Amino acid sequence: MQSLHLRNDTLVEIATFLARRWSEKSRITVEFSEKKETQTKIKDNKISLISPDRYSGDDLGRYRQFRTAIWYESMRARFCKKVLSNDHAFGFILNTLETRRIEMLGRKIWRGMDEELIFSYTYGWLYRPQMSDVLGKTRIVEAFYQQFLFGGVKGELPPRYSERVANAANHAKKIVAEALEKNYDTEWLEKKVPEILSILDIDALVTIPISMPWRAPGLMVTQQDLVKAVQKIAENKEADFGKVDVKNVLAGQAIAEEFKVLNDENKKSENRGLGSQTIGIQVPGSTNVDETRIYDQDLISNLKTKFKEWKTSWKEQHAATGDEFDEESYIEGHYKPFVTDVKRSINAKIVILLDHSSSINDVQTQYKKVTLALCEVLSFLKIKFSVYAFNTTQKQVVCWLVKPEDIKWSSASAKRLAQIEANGGTPLADVYQKMYPILRSKKPDIFLTLSDGEPSDPDAVRLMVKSLRSVGIKMVAIGIGHDTISSTRIANNLKYLNYEKTLAVSRLKDIPSRVLSVLQTS
């Protein structure tokens, strides 16, 4: 299943806007979570959403489910006093009762949501398990959930369970109806949960292993399945929603128009400033890529902390003379007992070329994480930089533009990096030739190549390096080896290619520090 065409940051912005509008809470925040279910944390004023990629359906269908999930959580934030964990029967049943209560309250305010709610119910029904797939006491809770919210149960229940489930669902509906009529809130409903538990004859602490079962890998919902499910839900929910036009539910016309506008604007923003800069340079065009898999937040945070002083441009250091006398240093016999502030700034413009030949195939995910972390730090330090990469696509050497100099590093840049696959040889001379016009035009201070150090055309590379150096560009290469021996060999190879400065690494995580050390000495 591919990701939505909309970027994650775009989806978060949309979700935040809608959540604040629907909940009437101007400070509520929205984030994506790796957990198995969407959650609202009332005290923290936060909604944690699962990724739209977890839903089934086409792009529009997943966006509609994602949008409706935001609505439900916004209603929770607006009308609920608390949201308990779904891990045990008590919290699961309370949250289930609240789902119906906040839905009824929300529909009075947002009358245009009915078709989207039916569509969401349809997929919710498709996601639920068959009764034969659920064991023990959990089966009774799952059956109650399905009967109460969907008006039916998937599969058959033993007679001794069926009556209990039906009675509990009917009683729960009466409880919610009374809460709505008398304007009771979460705390009143919470006191009624034991009544449901008693009818179902289950303990409050029964574990609920899966509160929201998602589609199994490869599970496909056909259009025929979807139509039948919408018809069933529309019939089961007629008492709540009245007559619903199945065709309108399936089409979702208003949301389809909204989704189209968002996609069009998203494409414009992603490609802004990415015109064809020169013949031979291409821009990765797919937006249907999950860039989050190449984000290593720990690495990024550690690097930002490590190079934080570079952002301020000032650093304290000991000197023979200075602004402040360090008594401890003098007593300990240091010959530089004064402390002075030294301004350090990096004004160099840098172009980075990333080798995506087959030699990095085995480690390309980690390679991308490290190079992305490097770009995050360069952006953090406000250093002017651009990023290119090369590989072989359909037997042709391609040089890809990941980030131009005048566009800020963003998730759109990360998305372009994520989709470049490691493939082919290392024809550096051809790549340099393709980049030569733009390098000559932009004249960066440093052109840094990350490579396996074994170009397929070393003589031609030597000539291109010489040519680029002649126009005032400092040529630097960092070789990537799998171990100390190979990195040493690569460093020796690079020395004979006319680069001004060569380095080698055997650990990918050392790449950002090596690049920044080059900038520091430039």
Side-chain angles (χ1 to χ4, degrees):
M1 176 64 69
Q2 293 178 314
S3 61
L4 280 177
H5 289 296
L6 298 179
R7 304 197 316 259
N8 279 355
D9 57 337
T10 302
L11 290 170
V12 169
E13 286 181 14
I14 294 168
T16 302
F17 170 77
L18 291 174
R20 290 176 178 177
R21 179 71 179 94
W22 283 331
S23 69
E24 293 192 342
K25 292 180 181 289
S26 60
R27 295 182 179 275
I28 200 163
T29 59
V30 178
E31 65 178 8
F32 282 123
S33 170
E34 294 299 319
K35 295 182 179 179
K36 291 185 177 180
E37 61 181 353
T38 291
Q39 290 183 327
T40 296
K41 299 175 182 177
I42 303 294
K43 290 183 179 179
D44 296 337
N45 228 10
K46 181 187 293 184
I47 296 174
S48 297
L49 299 168
I50 59 103
S51 169
D53 296 344
R54 299 287 296 279
Y55 297 110
S56 285
D58 57 17
D59 284 349
L60 174 60
R62 282 180 284 152
Y63 177 71
R64 291 175 69 186
Q65 293 171 72
F66 167 74
R67 193 177 184 276
T68 307
I70 300 166
W71 185 83
Y72 272 110
E73 298 312 308
S74 301
M75 295 303 101
R76 288 190 200 281
R78 182 168 181 169
F79 296 117
C80 294
K81 290 287 184 68
K82 64 174 75 172
V83 178
L84 299 184
S85 168
N86 280 320
D87 291 342
H88 296 95
F90 189 96
F92 183 78
I93 288 176
L94 175 61
N95 294 339
T96 301
L97 298 178
E98 283 285 65
T99 297
R100 183 174 176 85
R101 185 179 74 90
I102 58 115
E103 176 190 289
M104 303 295 280
L105 291 170
R107 286 178 58 221
K108 291 179 181 178
I109 304 169
W110 306 100
R111 297 182 180 278
M113 284 297 297
D114 281 9
E115 289 177 0
E116 291 309 299
L117 296 180
I118 291 293
F119 187 79
S120 177
Y121 267 118
T122 299
Y123 269 103
W125 174 255
L126 292 169
Y127 295 141
R128 301 315 298 188
Q130 293 284 336
M131 288 298 104
S132 58
D133 295 332
V134 189
L135 304 176
K137 295 287 188 180
T138 306
R139 179 191 293 182
I140 302 175
V141 180
E142 176 62 32
F144 165 76
Y145 180 90
Q146 293 185 16
Q147 185 65 48
F148 178 66
L149 287 181
F150 299 96
V153 175
K154 295 178 77 171
E156 295 184 2
L157 279 173
R160 67 182 186 279
Y161 291 162
S162 295
E163 186 176 354
R164 272 191 264 165
V165 168
N167 290 340
N170 289 333
H171 187 63
K173 287 180 181 178
K174 291 176 182 177
I175 289 173
V176 173
E178 184 178 354
L180 291 168
E181 181 184 349
K182 298 181 179 179
N183 201 29
Y184 292 145
D185 59 18
T186 308
E187 292 172 350
W188 183 84
L189 278 181
E190 188 175 12
K191 295 175 183 177
K192 295 292 182 178
V193 171
E195 297 178 15
I196 307 297
L197 293 170
S198 177
I199 297 172
L200 293 174
D201 191 24
I202 58 172
D203 188 88
L205 297 179
V206 166
T207 301
I208 308 298
I210 305 176
S211 59
M212 182 59 188
W214 300 100
R215 55 181 171 77
L219 176 66
M220 297 295 292
V221 177
T222 66
Q223 186 65 18
Q224 188 177 11
D225 293 335
L226 187 61
V227 171
K228 287 182 179 178
V230 171
Q231 291 171 340
K232 180 178 180 62
I233 292 298
E235 181 181 339
N236 289 356
K237 303 293 288 184
E238 186 174 345
D240 294 331
F241 290 85
K243 283 283 185 181
V244 176
D245 190 318
V246 172
K247 289 184 179 179
N248 288 346
V249 172
L250 290 167
Q253 192 61 42
I255 309 303
E257 292 175 5
E258 172 187 312
F259 186 63
K260 183 179 184 303
V261 170
L262 290 171
N263 258 323
D264 290 345
E265 289 301 313
N266 190 61
K267 289 176 183 176
K268 289 178 184 177
S269 66
E270 285 199 335
N271 292 322
R272 192 172 291 128
L274 297 177
S276 178
Q277 297 188 56
T278 185
I279 296 172
I281 307 292
Q282 298 186 34
V283 179
S286 176
T287 56
N288 204 8
V289 176
D290 179 16
E291 75 282 5
T292 59
R293 64 188 174 87
I294 64 169
Y295 271 92
D296 185 336
Q297 291 297 345
D298 288 339
L299 177 59
I300 294 169
S301 297
N302 290 339
L303 286 170
K304 286 182 177 179
T305 301
K306 182 177 180 179
F307 295 98
K308 187 177 181 180
E309 64 184 34
W310 289 27
K311 191 174 179 67
T312 63
S313 299
W314 291 94
K315 181 187 179 183
E316 284 190 349
Q317 73 176 36
H318 283 84
T321 59
D323 306 320
E324 182 181 341
F325 182 70
D326 187 345
E327 294 178 0
E328 289 185 9
S329 293
Y330 181 76
I331 293 170
E332 290 172 3
H334 293 294
Y335 67 95
K336 293 182 178 180
F338 288 91
V339 177
T340 186
D341 290 328
V342 178
K343 184 173 178 62
R344 57 192 304 177
S345 60
I346 300 172
N347 297 317
K349 292 191 300 181
I350 181 171
V351 173
I352 300 172
L353 176 64
L354 305 175
D355 181 346
H356 275 66
S357 62
S358 297
S359 61
I360 68 154
N361 188 58
D362 294 342
V363 294
Q364 67 170 313
T365 299
Q366 185 60 28
Y367 177 67
K368 284 182 168 67
K369 286 181 178 181
V370 167
T371 51
L372 183 146
L374 167 64
C375 293
E376 287 282 341
V377 174
L378 291 175
S379 178
F380 172 72
L381 297 175
K382 300 188 183 303
I383 295 171
K384 292 182 179 179
F385 71 103
S386 54
V387 183
Y388 297 80
F390 71 87
N391 70 353
T392 300
T393 303
Q394 296 179 345
K395 298 182 179 181
Q396 296 291 322
V397 178
V398 179
C399 183
W400 301 99
L401 173 59
V402 176
K403 177 203 171 296
E405 178 190 316
D406 52 350
I407 299 295
K408 187 178 180 181
W409 176 265
S410 66
S411 60
S413 307
K415 196 179 286 286
R416 287 189 283 273
L417 175 60
Q419 64 191 275
I420 301 171
E421 294 297 322
N423 186 48
T426 313
L428 271 180
D430 287 350
V431 177
Y432 287 169
Q433 187 68 49
K434 291 176 184 293
M435 295 182 68
Y436 187 81
I438 192 167
L439 290 169
R440 188 177 178 85
S441 170
K442 296 286 186 180
K443 288 187 178 177
D445 299 293
I446 301 170
F447 181 21
L448 187 147
T449 302
L450 286 176
S451 173
D452 60 10
E454 297 181 339
S456 54
D457 43 4
D459 292 335
V461 171
R462 194 178 295 112
L463 289 173
M464 284 303 303
V465 170
K466 183 179 180 180
S467 178
L468 288 165
R469 287 181 62 178
S470 69
V471 297
I473 300 172
K474 183 176 182 178
M475 298 294 290
V476 180
I478 297 181
I480 304 167
H482 295 292
D483 50 41
T484 304
I485 296 174
S486 64
S487 62
T488 302
R489 175 175 50 79
I490 289 168
N492 290 330
N493 290 343
L494 291 170
K495 287 180 182 178
Y496 295 102
L497 296 176
N498 270 340
Y499 290 102
E500 268 181 83
K501 188 177 183 65
T502 59
L503 304 93
V505 296
S506 57
R507 298 186 304 175
L508 290 173
K509 66 179 182 180
D510 290 338
I511 288 175
S513 296
R514 289 298 179 93
V515 173
L516 290 164
S517 71
V518 170
L519 294 175
Q520 187 179 13
T521 56
S522 297

